[in-house]
Amino acid sequence: MHLFLIIIVLSGAIAFRLSWQGNAQTWGDRWHSALFAFLLPPLLLLMTAIAIAVMGYRGQMIGMETGRLSYYLAIAYLVFVLFSGMKVLGDGLTSLKMIRSYPQIKLHLNRQEIQARLLEDSGLYSAQVGFFKPELVISQGLLENLDEEHLQAVLNHEQAHCYYRDTFCFFGLGWLRRITPWLPNTESLWQELLALRELRADRWACQQVDGLVLAESLLLTVSAPFREFASFTAEFNRPYSRDRLQERVDALLSEPDRLDDFKWLDWSGLAIALFPLIFIPFHY
């Protein structure tokens, strides 16, 4: 019976991922559609494994015998999930340790004092790196090649990532990506969420700076060498396809969707992921 439950849940997760089209019209609809499609299948699989591990391999469920195979599969998957989480966390802590070895500087822009870690590199790079309280990393090349107006635009964009807790949230999303890379559309959904994350940060930054200035900053930095420290990094100039880059520039030069449509998911919809847990009382 447990093996039958695994097959049903796995088939449903795959079918749900395949049904994602990514053709919503507004940013808010695209964000919610991609986030829900990204989150639900791995959470459903995780809850199924937990339910089977709790029930064990002895006894019956709804009058049908349970078996060892499904139990061992569930335990193996939970061990894989645990070690994947430890690997993601370990990579993140290693990156954070490296970042904190960089010299700390203070920037004075627009009557603001901003602390940052200086990356001694001639490339144009900026990012928020860290978990819940990330640190700003900027390169020497960025300070030398951007004037104060364009540098302020870049820093406003990075402040948006702090405002939305993007590094912390994408640390969790990156873990789910790692434990289900074989599900359909995992990479497509990941890239969609990254692109929408940057669009949202751009829109937030445009409340403080001119969109044209931010677009110019993006075009100046997009060809710079890319550094990816960990899954919890939010970079201003991460590499994009030509279409993604064009979408971001067009959004900066136009009047996009409202920011209040760009909220995190209504978590009540993810209650579906708890479905496998309802079988626990029926195991005896």
Side-chain angles (χ1 to χ4, degrees):
M1 182 59 189
H2 288 174
L3 189 59
F4 180 69
L5 177 61
I6 291 175
I7 293 172
I8 291 295
V9 170
L10 184 58
S11 300
I14 292 173
F16 184 74
R17 274 290 183 84
L18 288 172
S19 68
W20 177 74
Q21 299 295 325
N23 55 2
Q25 296 300 312
T26 68
W27 288 2
D29 289 342
R30 282 175 59 188
W31 175 257
H32 290 112
S33 173
L35 192 58
F36 192 69
F38 187 88
L39 283 172
L40 183 59
L43 291 179
L44 194 58
L45 293 172
L46 186 58
M47 290 300 105
T48 301
I50 291 174
I52 292 174
V54 169
M55 289 186 284
Y57 58 83
R58 294 187 177 89
Q60 295 182 338
M61 188 174 73
I62 317 179
M64 300 178 65
E65 293 290 336
T66 59
R68 292 177 182 267
L69 177 59
S70 55
Y71 175 76
Y72 291 144
L73 285 174
I75 293 297
Y77 184 66
L78 290 175
V79 170
F80 168 69
V81 168
L82 178 62
F83 275 93
S84 295
M86 292 172 63
K87 179 65 166 58
V88 173
L89 181 60
D91 291 344
L93 291 174
T94 300
S95 295
L96 200 55
K97 183 179 179 180
M98 180 176 64
I99 291 302
R100 287 175 176 167
S101 69
Y102 296 164
Q104 193 170 56
I105 61 172
K106 292 182 180 180
L107 302 173
H108 298 273
L109 294 169
N110 197 22
R111 299 181 181 179
Q112 285 183 307
E113 183 179 272
I114 301 173
Q115 291 189 339
R117 297 285 179 174
L118 180 63
L119 175 63
E120 295 180 356
D121 192 293
S122 60
L124 280 66
Y125 180 81
S126 69
Q128 292 286 352
V129 183
F131 293 98
F132 199 70
K133 291 183 178 180
E135 295 201 48
L136 174 64
V137 179
I138 58 175
S139 67
Q140 185 68 43
L142 191 77
L143 296 177
E144 293 175 351
N145 288 279
L146 294 190
D147 59 29
E148 182 173 333
E149 185 180 25
H150 288 86
L151 182 59
Q152 182 68 57
V154 172
L155 296 182
N156 282 136
H157 173 94
E158 296 300 346
Q159 287 175 338
H161 289 306
C162 288
Y163 176 80
Y164 288 111
R165 305 292 184 188
D166 281 337
T167 55
F168 178 75
C169 296
F170 274 79
F171 165 73
L173 293 176
W175 172 55
L176 292 179
R177 175 196 180 204
R178 183 181 286 265
I179 65 175
T180 53
W182 41 269
L183 279 176
N185 288 324
T186 294
E187 193 58 30
S188 297
L189 283 163
W190 177 253
Q191 294 302 325
E192 173 79 346
L193 289 172
L194 288 176
L196 289 168
R197 179 188 74 177
E198 298 308 313
L199 285 168
R200 181 175 66 174
D202 286 344
R203 187 68 259 155
W204 189 90
C206 284
Q207 295 179 116
Q208 286 82 37
V209 298
D210 184 71
L212 177 59
V213 174
L214 189 56
E216 291 172 347
S217 302
L218 175 61
L219 294 174
L220 286 169
T221 61
V222 73
S223 60
F226 177 66
R227 294 169 175 265
E228 185 171 13
F229 291 102
S231 61
F232 58 39
T233 305
E235 313 90 340
F236 178 68
N237 62 330
R238 66 171 298 106
Y240 289 110
S241 66
R242 185 179 182 87
D243 291 341
R244 293 285 194 186
L245 178 61
Q246 187 64 51
E247 178 186 33
R248 192 171 165 189
V249 172
D250 289 344
L252 285 168
L253 300 179
S254 63
E255 190 65 33
D257 297 337
R258 297 178 303 169
L259 273 174
D260 56 6
D261 290 335
F262 226 141
K263 298 176 181 178
W264 280 97
L265 193 64
D266 180 2
W267 298 105
S268 62
L270 291 177
I272 301 171
L274 302 178
F275 165 75
L277 300 181
I278 68 175
F279 288 96
I280 294 178
F282 297 98
H283 179 89
Y284 55 91

